Amino acid sequence: MILRTCVLSAAIAVTLMSTSLPSAAQSAAQRAEQTANPLLGAWSTPDGVPPYDRIRPEHYEPAFDLAIAEARAQSQRIANDKTAPTFENTIEAMERAGRELSRVSSTFFTVASADATPANQAIQKAIAPKLARLSNETMLDQALFQRVDTLYKQRAELGLTPEQNRLLEQTHKRFVRAGAALPADARARVAAINEELANLGVQFGQKLLADQKANDVFLSAAEVEGLPADQLSTAAAAAEAAGKPGQYLFPATRSAAEPFLTAAPNRDAREKIWRAFSFRGDNDNANNTSAEIKRLVELRIERAKLMGADTHADFVLADSMAKTPDAAMELLMGVYQPALVRANEELADIQALAAKDGITDVQPWDWRYYAEQVRSQRFALDEAQVKQYMPLDGIVDAMFETTQKLFGLTAHERTDIPVYADGVRVFEIREADGRKVGLFYADWFARPTKRPGAWMNSIRVPNGLLGDTPIVVNNQNITPPAAGERALISLDEAQTLFHEFGHGLHGMLSTAHYPSLSGTAVSRDFVEFPSQVYEHWITEPTILQAHARNAAGEPMPKEMLESLLKAQTFNQGFSTIQQLSSAILDMRLHQLTELPADFDAGEWEAAQLRELGVPEQIGMRHRLPHFSHIFDGGYSASYYAYTWAEAMDADGFDAFKEAGNVFDPELAAKLRREVYEVGNTRDPAESYKAFRGRMPTAEALLRNRGLK
Ligand SMILES: [Zn+2]
């Protein structure tokens, strides 16, 4: 299972709460702006989609400014309402509010990630502080909070539906977790802490990027001998662009380091690349991140105490499916022990092969190279050969066919929808009876301005309150084919395709009435379940047999198919230990109640790894000095969520296997009803139990990873 960056929600979920009020307060100048700016006013596009064909970069900032002002006014109007608070004039009014802002935001943030031109980056930089200010103002607005709090205390007597009750509780919790319920001095301190944390996160990220750049490795022709042609040509071009023609440049990034470490026969060169990649943020220079880490953790401890939690981990997990750090740790340790056993078996295989090359002390920079030798001996898989049977179009057919078999949904390409870049395709998803479910924008190919990775985001979430038809976007970085050729993908890319479409279904199928409870707005340790469980269908032999075909239309040979599926469990001891050691250290670090004055992230990390018995040839997937997820990515005390969701997806798919039919209609209907449709209208643990009849166990995960 691959760790992907997935649901892009933080920036887009600024859907503040506000009504679409008439714009009577607007000045003539603003109205003129509005007529000239295609982002503002009504959109006369098919299905009311963003008019990307008419939007130019200079339209965004003025539209943001107007929409932010409108959202602020709407929020203040709710807060200062002279009548007593009711669910309708407060909670529901907040749901209706900020509509213009949410429209402008989702339109912009879609392109900000998929087409990060310098112009779009500049806009993002300019509006980020404005959005943060609005969010802080709203969440710490005492008049607004008092109304929410009054309703919260009366909630048993308000005659609310279960969803309304959930919305009230979630809204109240959001205010409380932002510090709104604290006394004035504590509130001010939390605001100051949040600001310092945000600055530290930015500083951490900037140091990391600077150190990564400083760690560029230039290699000679002799050092890169034996590398595949695609890596060589990329590295040669990069060196040339950097003014060192004839050399080979490898940046200290995962996407450059991992393929190099897998393929490079030159051991000294492997060590150079491994050191450059592993020591980012941990070098004896101005980019060392230890001071930022110490301060970040200290501030998180202080904030947790102000909020009345024992530790930062307790504070974070109170708003999750796992609920407590103990529950998360129990799963992590339950997988860790069998993974360690397997990792040591893998090490023995690697040592045996390395010994033939005269290597008696296998090092971290040797692991991937020798593991690849073991893999090719054992499975005889040639990635290039496999790709010949994996055309993108065929796998997309497989993806839509899976949706039809499970949920009766069909996909129909639309060519009348304006898109933001060449190559973006739009599909209308329909129910079996022809009713429109939503629009699915597919942006699968790489472009120079697209950020790396794969993700899903919503342009519009389905909801009953405003009657919106959903629009979801999937992004991936598949290499575009040469003119006239078929696009071919790897199994990993095919799994990603299914994964992101799983998020897309989650974003489209919600039946929630209220926008903020709709679609993928669920806790971090649940949001990957609908996407990861969907991945399982691409590795179903019947699906692959039907759709994995070469240019002549012949299906993938049986032996290749079997090897491909068997190889899925290869080297899983290594990957599991890498992932878990990062997750365990994240949790342990955020369970500390104080830091010693001489705290050093590197030393603390080394001591923890020794205590856990992590083989030094494996180490962590993300070492603390460059662990962006937890220091500038919003995943602090939450990296376990990947494993948590994997336990659910493995266990959830097992239900279909137990039924003896991976398209079992009754189970599929239950999966749709209890998981894809519910959004955040109830506790995710309840949703899982409603689908599976019980909470997940780690059994299926261990089996899928070949650890049992
Ligand atoms: Zn995901």
Side-chain angles (χ1 to χ4, degrees), residues 14-21 43 67 70-71 74 93-106 459-461 463 465-469 515:
V14 288
T15 322
L16 190 78
M17 335 144 169
S18 50
T19 45
S20 317
L21 297 175
W43 290 347
E70 184 193 78
Q74 290 166 342
M94 286 159 70
E95 288 291 300
R96 291 178 187 277
R99 192 152 166 74
E100 190 77 32
L101 179 56
S102 116
R103 226 167 50 138
V104 173
S105 289
S106 61
I459 291 183
R460 209 160 53 202
V461 298
N463 65 87
L465 183 71
L466 306 163
D468 290 330
T469 310

PDB file of all heavy atoms in Angstrom, residues 14-21 43 67 70-71 74 93-106 459-461 463 465-469 515:
ATOM      1  N   VAL A  14     -12.576  26.436   3.574  1.00  0.00           N
ATOM      2  CA  VAL A  14     -12.820  27.718   4.226  1.00  0.00           C
ATOM      3  C   VAL A  14     -14.284  28.084   4.106  1.00  0.00           C
ATOM      4  O   VAL A  14     -14.696  29.130   4.558  1.00  0.00           O
ATOM      5  CB  VAL A  14     -11.974  28.869   3.640  1.00  0.00           C
ATOM      6  CG1 VAL A  14     -10.535  28.729   4.047  1.00  0.00           C
ATOM      7  CG2 VAL A  14     -12.119  28.927   2.143  1.00  0.00           C
ATOM      8  N   THR A  15     -15.060  27.195   3.467  1.00  0.00           N
ATOM      9  CA  THR A  15     -16.506  27.356   3.400  1.00  0.00           C
ATOM     10  C   THR A  15     -16.948  27.861   4.748  1.00  0.00           C
ATOM     11  O   THR A  15     -17.460  27.131   5.560  1.00  0.00           O
ATOM     12  CB  THR A  15     -17.192  26.001   3.189  1.00  0.00           C
ATOM     13  OG1 THR A  15     -16.402  25.250   2.326  1.00  0.00           O
ATOM     14  CG2 THR A  15     -18.590  26.190   2.690  1.00  0.00           C
ATOM     15  N   LEU A  16     -16.694  29.065   4.970  1.00  0.00           N
ATOM     16  CA  LEU A  16     -17.066  29.627   6.263  1.00  0.00           C
ATOM     17  C   LEU A  16     -18.546  29.461   6.295  1.00  0.00           C
ATOM     18  O   LEU A  16     -19.133  28.920   5.431  1.00  0.00           O
ATOM     19  CB  LEU A  16     -16.654  31.080   6.282  1.00  0.00           C
ATOM     20  CG  LEU A  16     -16.750  31.698   7.607  1.00  0.00           C
ATOM     21  CD1 LEU A  16     -15.593  31.322   8.477  1.00  0.00           C
ATOM     22  CD2 LEU A  16     -16.756  33.159   7.404  1.00  0.00           C
ATOM     23  N   MET A  17     -19.186  29.882   7.103  1.00  0.00           N
ATOM     24  CA  MET A  17     -20.567  29.691   7.388  1.00  0.00           C
ATOM     25  C   MET A  17     -21.175  31.041   7.088  1.00  0.00           C
ATOM     26  O   MET A  17     -20.762  31.989   7.639  1.00  0.00           O
ATOM     27  CB  MET A  17     -20.612  29.366   8.840  1.00  0.00           C
ATOM     28  CG  MET A  17     -19.283  28.782   9.260  1.00  0.00           C
ATOM     29  SD  MET A  17     -18.882  29.299  10.886  1.00  0.00           S
ATOM     30  CE  MET A  17     -17.544  28.318  11.278  1.00  0.00           C
ATOM     31  N   SER A  18     -22.046  31.141   6.178  1.00  0.00           N
ATOM     32  CA  SER A  18     -22.672  32.457   5.934  1.00  0.00           C
ATOM     33  C   SER A  18     -23.768  32.347   4.888  1.00  0.00           C
ATOM     34  O   SER A  18     -23.768  31.449   4.095  1.00  0.00           O
ATOM     35  CB  SER A  18     -21.628  33.465   5.473  1.00  0.00           C
ATOM     36  OG  SER A  18     -20.886  32.924   4.423  1.00  0.00           O
ATOM     37  N   THR A  19     -24.702  33.244   4.874  1.00  0.00           N
ATOM     38  CA  THR A  19     -25.814  33.155   3.916  1.00  0.00           C
ATOM     39  C   THR A  19     -25.484  33.880   2.625  1.00  0.00           C
ATOM     40  O   THR A  19     -24.686  34.792   2.609  1.00  0.00           O
ATOM     41  CB  THR A  19     -27.071  33.827   4.482  1.00  0.00           C
ATOM     42  OG1 THR A  19     -26.663  35.052   5.044  1.00  0.00           O
ATOM     43  CG2 THR A  19     -27.759  32.990   5.502  1.00  0.00           C
ATOM     44  N   SER A  20     -26.125  33.461   1.534  1.00  0.00           N
ATOM     45  CA  SER A  20     -25.988  34.221   0.297  1.00  0.00           C
ATOM     46  C   SER A  20     -26.909  35.417   0.419  1.00  0.00           C
ATOM     47  O   SER A  20     -28.033  35.392  -0.059  1.00  0.00           O
ATOM     48  CB  SER A  20     -26.419  33.406  -0.911  1.00  0.00           C
ATOM     49  OG  SER A  20     -25.915  32.123  -0.805  1.00  0.00           O
ATOM     50  N   LEU A  21     -26.436  36.427   1.087  1.00  0.00           N
ATOM     51  CA  LEU A  21     -27.279  37.603   1.301  1.00  0.00           C
ATOM     52  C   LEU A  21     -27.316  38.439   0.041  1.00  0.00           C
ATOM     53  O   LEU A  21     -26.400  38.425  -0.755  1.00  0.00           O
ATOM     54  CB  LEU A  21     -26.698  38.442   2.444  1.00  0.00           C
ATOM     55  CG  LEU A  21     -26.663  37.748   3.798  1.00  0.00           C
ATOM     56  CD1 LEU A  21     -25.964  38.634   4.803  1.00  0.00           C
ATOM     57  CD2 LEU A  21     -28.068  37.442   4.262  1.00  0.00           C
ATOM     58  N   TRP A  43     -23.087  32.135 -12.508  1.00  0.00           N
ATOM     59  CA  TRP A  43     -22.299  31.489 -13.555  1.00  0.00           C
ATOM     60  C   TRP A  43     -23.258  30.859 -14.560  1.00  0.00           C
ATOM     61  O   TRP A  43     -23.983  29.918 -14.234  1.00  0.00           O
ATOM     62  CB  TRP A  43     -21.386  30.413 -12.963  1.00  0.00           C
ATOM     63  CG  TRP A  43     -20.257  30.977 -12.147  1.00  0.00           C
ATOM     64  CD1 TRP A  43     -19.844  32.275 -12.092  1.00  0.00           C
ATOM     65  CD2 TRP A  43     -19.389  30.247 -11.263  1.00  0.00           C
ATOM     66  NE1 TRP A  43     -18.780  32.416 -11.235  1.00  0.00           N
ATOM     67  CE2 TRP A  43     -18.482  31.185 -10.714  1.00  0.00           C
ATOM     68  CE3 TRP A  43     -19.288  28.908 -10.881  1.00  0.00           C
ATOM     69  CZ2 TRP A  43     -17.484  30.817  -9.811  1.00  0.00           C
ATOM     70  CZ3 TRP A  43     -18.301  28.541  -9.987  1.00  0.00           C
ATOM     71  CH2 TRP A  43     -17.403  29.488  -9.453  1.00  0.00           C
ATOM     72  N   ALA A  67     -15.386  38.480  -1.753  1.00  0.00           N
ATOM     73  CA  ALA A  67     -16.023  37.326  -1.115  1.00  0.00           C
ATOM     74  C   ALA A  67     -15.669  37.248   0.366  1.00  0.00           C
ATOM     75  O   ALA A  67     -16.501  36.888   1.201  1.00  0.00           O
ATOM     76  CB  ALA A  67     -15.608  36.042  -1.837  1.00  0.00           C
ATOM     77  N   GLU A  70     -17.719  39.829   2.136  1.00  0.00           N
ATOM     78  CA  GLU A  70     -19.106  39.376   2.247  1.00  0.00           C
ATOM     79  C   GLU A  70     -19.242  38.330   3.361  1.00  0.00           C
ATOM     80  O   GLU A  70     -20.140  38.400   4.200  1.00  0.00           O
ATOM     81  CB  GLU A  70     -19.564  38.773   0.908  1.00  0.00           C
ATOM     82  CG  GLU A  70     -21.018  38.361   0.914  1.00  0.00           C
ATOM     83  CD  GLU A  70     -21.379  37.488  -0.296  1.00  0.00           C
ATOM     84  OE1 GLU A  70     -21.056  36.289  -0.282  1.00  0.00           O
ATOM     85  OE2 GLU A  70     -21.990  38.010  -1.227  1.00  0.00           O
ATOM     86  N   ALA A  71     -18.305  37.381   3.387  1.00  0.00           N
ATOM     87  CA  ALA A  71     -18.363  36.335   4.414  1.00  0.00           C
ATOM     88  C   ALA A  71     -18.223  36.943   5.809  1.00  0.00           C
ATOM     89  O   ALA A  71     -18.915  36.547   6.750  1.00  0.00           O
ATOM     90  CB  ALA A  71     -17.247  35.301   4.172  1.00  0.00           C
ATOM     91  N   GLN A  74     -21.465  38.615   6.737  1.00  0.00           N
ATOM     92  CA  GLN A  74     -22.496  37.618   7.038  1.00  0.00           C
ATOM     93  C   GLN A  74     -22.276  37.014   8.421  1.00  0.00           C
ATOM     94  O   GLN A  74     -23.208  36.837   9.205  1.00  0.00           O
ATOM     95  CB  GLN A  74     -22.474  36.518   5.966  1.00  0.00           C
ATOM     96  CG  GLN A  74     -22.987  37.016   4.619  1.00  0.00           C
ATOM     97  CD  GLN A  74     -22.664  36.059   3.485  1.00  0.00           C
ATOM     98  OE1 GLN A  74     -21.794  35.201   3.625  1.00  0.00           O
ATOM     99  NE2 GLN A  74     -23.355  36.213   2.371  1.00  0.00           N
ATOM    100  N   ALA A  93     -27.722  29.248   9.491  1.00  0.00           N
ATOM    101  CA  ALA A  93     -27.280  30.476   8.822  1.00  0.00           C
ATOM    102  C   ALA A  93     -25.782  30.420   8.528  1.00  0.00           C
ATOM    103  O   ALA A  93     -25.322  30.875   7.478  1.00  0.00           O
ATOM    104  CB  ALA A  93     -27.605  31.691   9.695  1.00  0.00           C
ATOM    105  N   MET A  94     -25.020  29.854   9.475  1.00  0.00           N
ATOM    106  CA  MET A  94     -23.579  29.718   9.242  1.00  0.00           C
ATOM    107  C   MET A  94     -23.297  28.767   8.077  1.00  0.00           C
ATOM    108  O   MET A  94     -22.331  28.946   7.337  1.00  0.00           O
ATOM    109  CB  MET A  94     -22.887  29.222  10.519  1.00  0.00           C
ATOM    110  CG  MET A  94     -22.772  30.318  11.587  1.00  0.00           C
ATOM    111  SD  MET A  94     -22.539  29.649  13.259  1.00  0.00           S
ATOM    112  CE  MET A  94     -20.918  29.029  13.144  1.00  0.00           C
ATOM    113  N   GLU A  95     -24.132  27.755   7.925  1.00  0.00           N
ATOM    114  CA  GLU A  95     -23.966  26.822   6.801  1.00  0.00           C
ATOM    115  C   GLU A  95     -24.218  27.497   5.464  1.00  0.00           C
ATOM    116  O   GLU A  95     -23.609  27.165   4.460  1.00  0.00           O
ATOM    117  CB  GLU A  95     -24.933  25.641   6.951  1.00  0.00           C
ATOM    118  CG  GLU A  95     -24.566  24.674   8.055  1.00  0.00           C
ATOM    119  CD  GLU A  95     -23.300  23.894   7.735  1.00  0.00           C
ATOM    120  OE1 GLU A  95     -23.272  23.189   6.724  1.00  0.00           O
ATOM    121  OE2 GLU A  95     -22.337  23.998   8.520  1.00  0.00           O
ATOM    122  N   ARG A  96     -25.157  28.439   5.471  1.00  0.00           N
ATOM    123  CA  ARG A  96     -25.479  29.127   4.215  1.00  0.00           C
ATOM    124  C   ARG A  96     -24.456  30.204   3.892  1.00  0.00           C
ATOM    125  O   ARG A  96     -24.340  30.640   2.755  1.00  0.00           O
ATOM    126  CB  ARG A  96     -26.856  29.801   4.315  1.00  0.00           C
ATOM    127  CG  ARG A  96     -28.018  28.845   4.382  1.00  0.00           C
ATOM    128  CD  ARG A  96     -29.320  29.641   4.523  1.00  0.00           C
ATOM    129  NE  ARG A  96     -30.452  28.771   4.752  1.00  0.00           N
ATOM    130  CZ  ARG A  96     -31.117  28.151   3.788  1.00  0.00           C
ATOM    131  NH1 ARG A  96     -30.754  28.314   2.534  1.00  0.00           N
ATOM    132  NH2 ARG A  96     -32.132  27.365   4.081  1.00  0.00           N
ATOM    133  N   ALA A  97     -23.733  30.651   4.890  1.00  0.00           N
ATOM    134  CA  ALA A  97     -22.850  31.809   4.723  1.00  0.00           C
ATOM    135  C   ALA A  97     -21.577  31.452   3.956  1.00  0.00           C
ATOM    136  O   ALA A  97     -21.205  30.297   3.836  1.00  0.00           O
ATOM    137  CB  ALA A  97     -22.492  32.374   6.088  1.00  0.00           C
ATOM    138  N   GLY A  98     -20.919  32.491   3.461  1.00  0.00           N
ATOM    139  CA  GLY A  98     -19.623  32.307   2.805  1.00  0.00           C
ATOM    140  C   GLY A  98     -19.701  31.531   1.509  1.00  0.00           C
ATOM    141  O   GLY A  98     -18.728  30.934   1.062  1.00  0.00           O
ATOM    142  N   ARG A  99     -20.878  31.548   0.892  1.00  0.00           N
ATOM    143  CA  ARG A  99     -21.062  30.755  -0.329  1.00  0.00           C
ATOM    144  C   ARG A  99     -20.179  31.269  -1.467  1.00  0.00           C
ATOM    145  O   ARG A  99     -19.541  30.504  -2.167  1.00  0.00           O
ATOM    146  CB  ARG A  99     -22.536  30.820  -0.724  1.00  0.00           C
ATOM    147  CG  ARG A  99     -22.922  29.847  -1.777  1.00  0.00           C
ATOM    148  CD  ARG A  99     -24.391  29.493  -1.618  1.00  0.00           C
ATOM    149  NE  ARG A  99     -24.914  28.814  -2.800  1.00  0.00           N
ATOM    150  CZ  ARG A  99     -24.629  27.560  -3.115  1.00  0.00           C
ATOM    151  NH1 ARG A  99     -23.797  26.861  -2.364  1.00  0.00           N
ATOM    152  NH2 ARG A  99     -25.155  27.003  -4.179  1.00  0.00           N
ATOM    153  N   GLU A 100     -20.158  32.590  -1.599  1.00  0.00           N
ATOM    154  CA  GLU A 100     -19.334  33.197  -2.649  1.00  0.00           C
ATOM    155  C   GLU A 100     -17.858  32.842  -2.404  1.00  0.00           C
ATOM    156  O   GLU A 100     -17.136  32.477  -3.322  1.00  0.00           O
ATOM    157  CB  GLU A 100     -19.531  34.726  -2.597  1.00  0.00           C
ATOM    158  CG  GLU A 100     -18.928  35.484  -3.756  1.00  0.00           C
ATOM    159  CD  GLU A 100     -19.769  35.377  -5.033  1.00  0.00           C
ATOM    160  OE1 GLU A 100     -21.001  35.281  -4.930  1.00  0.00           O
ATOM    161  OE2 GLU A 100     -19.176  35.375  -6.117  1.00  0.00           O
ATOM    162  N   LEU A 101     -17.461  32.928  -1.138  1.00  0.00           N
ATOM    163  CA  LEU A 101     -16.061  32.649  -0.812  1.00  0.00           C
ATOM    164  C   LEU A 101     -15.722  31.189  -1.103  1.00  0.00           C
ATOM    165  O   LEU A 101     -14.653  30.875  -1.621  1.00  0.00           O
ATOM    166  CB  LEU A 101     -15.796  32.981   0.663  1.00  0.00           C
ATOM    167  CG  LEU A 101     -14.368  32.717   1.145  1.00  0.00           C
ATOM    168  CD1 LEU A 101     -13.344  33.458   0.292  1.00  0.00           C
ATOM    169  CD2 LEU A 101     -14.205  33.107   2.613  1.00  0.00           C
ATOM    170  N   SER A 102     -16.646  30.303  -0.765  1.00  0.00           N
ATOM    171  CA  SER A 102     -16.341  28.900  -0.988  1.00  0.00           C
ATOM    172  C   SER A 102     -16.265  28.613  -2.490  1.00  0.00           C
ATOM    173  O   SER A 102     -15.448  27.823  -2.944  1.00  0.00           O
ATOM    174  CB  SER A 102     -17.368  28.046  -0.251  1.00  0.00           C
ATOM    175  OG  SER A 102     -18.131  27.307  -1.134  1.00  0.00           O
ATOM    176  N   ARG A 103     -17.083  29.322  -3.278  1.00  0.00           N
ATOM    177  CA  ARG A 103     -17.052  29.155  -4.725  1.00  0.00           C
ATOM    178  C   ARG A 103     -15.721  29.644  -5.303  1.00  0.00           C
ATOM    179  O   ARG A 103     -15.071  28.966  -6.088  1.00  0.00           O
ATOM    180  CB  ARG A 103     -18.194  29.986  -5.328  1.00  0.00           C
ATOM    181  CG  ARG A 103     -18.996  29.286  -6.363  1.00  0.00           C
ATOM    182  CD  ARG A 103     -20.276  30.044  -6.659  1.00  0.00           C
ATOM    183  NE  ARG A 103     -20.084  31.455  -6.917  1.00  0.00           N
ATOM    184  CZ  ARG A 103     -20.724  32.123  -7.884  1.00  0.00           C
ATOM    185  NH1 ARG A 103     -21.551  31.485  -8.683  1.00  0.00           N
ATOM    186  NH2 ARG A 103     -20.548  33.408  -8.041  1.00  0.00           N
ATOM    187  N   VAL A 104     -15.314  30.847  -4.882  1.00  0.00           N
ATOM    188  CA  VAL A 104     -14.057  31.410  -5.386  1.00  0.00           C
ATOM    189  C   VAL A 104     -12.872  30.555  -4.924  1.00  0.00           C
ATOM    190  O   VAL A 104     -11.963  30.243  -5.692  1.00  0.00           O
ATOM    191  CB  VAL A 104     -13.894  32.877  -4.899  1.00  0.00           C
ATOM    192  CG1 VAL A 104     -12.523  33.418  -5.279  1.00  0.00           C
ATOM    193  CG2 VAL A 104     -15.001  33.761  -5.471  1.00  0.00           C
ATOM    194  N   SER A 105     -12.908  30.144  -3.642  1.00  0.00           N
ATOM    195  CA  SER A 105     -11.808  29.346  -3.090  1.00  0.00           C
ATOM    196  C   SER A 105     -11.637  28.031  -3.823  1.00  0.00           C
ATOM    197  O   SER A 105     -10.536  27.667  -4.215  1.00  0.00           O
ATOM    198  CB  SER A 105     -12.077  28.995  -1.622  1.00  0.00           C
ATOM    199  OG  SER A 105     -11.960  30.122  -0.827  1.00  0.00           O
ATOM    200  N   SER A 106     -12.739  27.286  -3.984  1.00  0.00           N
ATOM    201  CA  SER A 106     -12.579  25.962  -4.587  1.00  0.00           C
ATOM    202  C   SER A 106     -12.181  26.086  -6.053  1.00  0.00           C
ATOM    203  O   SER A 106     -11.413  25.279  -6.560  1.00  0.00           O
ATOM    204  CB  SER A 106     -13.853  25.143  -4.418  1.00  0.00           C
ATOM    205  OG  SER A 106     -14.929  25.784  -5.050  1.00  0.00           O
ATOM    206  N   ILE A 459     -14.826  20.696  -5.862  1.00  0.00           N
ATOM    207  CA  ILE A 459     -15.141  22.079  -6.258  1.00  0.00           C
ATOM    208  C   ILE A 459     -16.487  22.454  -5.634  1.00  0.00           C
ATOM    209  O   ILE A 459     -16.720  23.585  -5.243  1.00  0.00           O
ATOM    210  CB  ILE A 459     -15.165  22.223  -7.793  1.00  0.00           C
ATOM    211  CG1 ILE A 459     -13.738  22.071  -8.340  1.00  0.00           C
ATOM    212  CG2 ILE A 459     -15.759  23.568  -8.206  1.00  0.00           C
ATOM    213  CD1 ILE A 459     -13.609  22.273  -9.838  1.00  0.00           C
ATOM    214  N   ARG A 460     -17.375  21.452  -5.513  1.00  0.00           N
ATOM    215  CA  ARG A 460     -18.676  21.700  -4.889  1.00  0.00           C
ATOM    216  C   ARG A 460     -19.094  20.418  -4.193  1.00  0.00           C
ATOM    217  O   ARG A 460     -18.969  19.344  -4.775  1.00  0.00           O
ATOM    218  CB  ARG A 460     -19.679  22.060  -5.984  1.00  0.00           C
ATOM    219  CG  ARG A 460     -20.791  22.971  -5.545  1.00  0.00           C
ATOM    220  CD  ARG A 460     -21.453  23.667  -6.728  1.00  0.00           C
ATOM    221  NE  ARG A 460     -21.888  22.735  -7.745  1.00  0.00           N
ATOM    222  CZ  ARG A 460     -22.095  23.095  -9.033  1.00  0.00           C
ATOM    223  NH1 ARG A 460     -21.911  24.332  -9.420  1.00  0.00           N
ATOM    224  NH2 ARG A 460     -22.486  22.214  -9.903  1.00  0.00           N
ATOM    225  N   VAL A 461     -19.559  20.532  -2.953  1.00  0.00           N
ATOM    226  CA  VAL A 461     -19.984  19.320  -2.236  1.00  0.00           C
ATOM    227  C   VAL A 461     -21.502  19.170  -2.345  1.00  0.00           C
ATOM    228  O   VAL A 461     -22.237  20.159  -2.368  1.00  0.00           O
ATOM    229  CB  VAL A 461     -19.565  19.336  -0.745  1.00  0.00           C
ATOM    230  CG1 VAL A 461     -18.055  19.373  -0.600  1.00  0.00           C
ATOM    231  CG2 VAL A 461     -20.213  20.474   0.015  1.00  0.00           C
ATOM    232  N   ASN A 463     -25.205  18.635  -1.161  1.00  0.00           N
ATOM    233  CA  ASN A 463     -25.923  18.887   0.090  1.00  0.00           C
ATOM    234  C   ASN A 463     -27.357  19.259  -0.233  1.00  0.00           C
ATOM    235  O   ASN A 463     -27.641  19.837  -1.279  1.00  0.00           O
ATOM    236  CB  ASN A 463     -25.245  19.996   0.903  1.00  0.00           C
ATOM    237  CG  ASN A 463     -25.302  21.339   0.210  1.00  0.00           C
ATOM    238  OD1 ASN A 463     -26.279  22.079   0.356  1.00  0.00           O
ATOM    239  ND2 ASN A 463     -24.287  21.662  -0.587  1.00  0.00           N
ATOM    240  N   LEU A 465     -29.298  21.281   1.652  1.00  0.00           N
ATOM    241  CA  LEU A 465     -29.646  22.647   2.056  1.00  0.00           C
ATOM    242  C   LEU A 465     -29.638  23.604   0.871  1.00  0.00           C
ATOM    243  O   LEU A 465     -30.554  24.400   0.696  1.00  0.00           O
ATOM    244  CB  LEU A 465     -28.657  23.135   3.129  1.00  0.00           C
ATOM    245  CG  LEU A 465     -28.933  24.520   3.709  1.00  0.00           C
ATOM    246  CD1 LEU A 465     -30.165  24.497   4.604  1.00  0.00           C
ATOM    247  CD2 LEU A 465     -27.723  25.030   4.492  1.00  0.00           C
ATOM    248  N   LEU A 466     -28.577  23.553   0.076  1.00  0.00           N
ATOM    249  CA  LEU A 466     -28.445  24.481  -1.041  1.00  0.00           C
ATOM    250  C   LEU A 466     -28.708  23.791  -2.379  1.00  0.00           C
ATOM    251  O   LEU A 466     -28.663  24.423  -3.436  1.00  0.00           O
ATOM    252  CB  LEU A 466     -27.043  25.104  -1.035  1.00  0.00           C
ATOM    253  CG  LEU A 466     -26.652  25.764   0.297  1.00  0.00           C
ATOM    254  CD1 LEU A 466     -25.152  25.982   0.394  1.00  0.00           C
ATOM    255  CD2 LEU A 466     -27.392  27.080   0.493  1.00  0.00           C
ATOM    256  N   GLY A 467     -28.960  22.485  -2.317  1.00  0.00           N
ATOM    257  CA  GLY A 467     -29.302  21.739  -3.528  1.00  0.00           C
ATOM    258  C   GLY A 467     -28.188  21.653  -4.550  1.00  0.00           C
ATOM    259  O   GLY A 467     -28.434  21.630  -5.754  1.00  0.00           O
ATOM    260  N   ASP A 468     -26.941  21.604  -4.079  1.00  0.00           N
ATOM    261  CA  ASP A 468     -25.822  21.609  -5.018  1.00  0.00           C
ATOM    262  C   ASP A 468     -25.555  20.237  -5.646  1.00  0.00           C
ATOM    263  O   ASP A 468     -25.642  19.211  -4.979  1.00  0.00           O
ATOM    264  CB  ASP A 468     -24.541  22.051  -4.297  1.00  0.00           C
ATOM    265  CG  ASP A 468     -24.578  23.520  -3.928  1.00  0.00           C
ATOM    266  OD1 ASP A 468     -25.229  24.287  -4.661  1.00  0.00           O
ATOM    267  OD2 ASP A 468     -23.960  23.890  -2.916  1.00  0.00           O
ATOM    268  N   THR A 469     -25.190  20.262  -6.922  1.00  0.00           N
ATOM    269  CA  THR A 469     -24.686  19.065  -7.590  1.00  0.00           C
ATOM    270  C   THR A 469     -23.175  19.046  -7.395  1.00  0.00           C
ATOM    271  O   THR A 469     -22.512  20.048  -7.656  1.00  0.00           O
ATOM    272  CB  THR A 469     -24.960  19.121  -9.107  1.00  0.00           C
ATOM    273  OG1 THR A 469     -26.324  19.450  -9.290  1.00  0.00           O
ATOM    274  CG2 THR A 469     -24.632  17.803  -9.768  1.00  0.00           C
ATOM    275  N   PRO A 515     -23.797  21.306   4.189  1.00  0.00           N
ATOM    276  CA  PRO A 515     -22.526  21.266   3.448  1.00  0.00           C
ATOM    277  C   PRO A 515     -21.330  20.869   4.315  1.00  0.00           C
ATOM    278  O   PRO A 515     -20.483  20.099   3.885  1.00  0.00           O
ATOM    279  CB  PRO A 515     -22.352  22.697   2.931  1.00  0.00           C
ATOM    280  CG  PRO A 515     -23.704  23.316   2.983  1.00  0.00           C
ATOM    281  CD  PRO A 515     -24.502  22.587   4.012  1.00  0.00           C
TER     282      PRO A 515
END
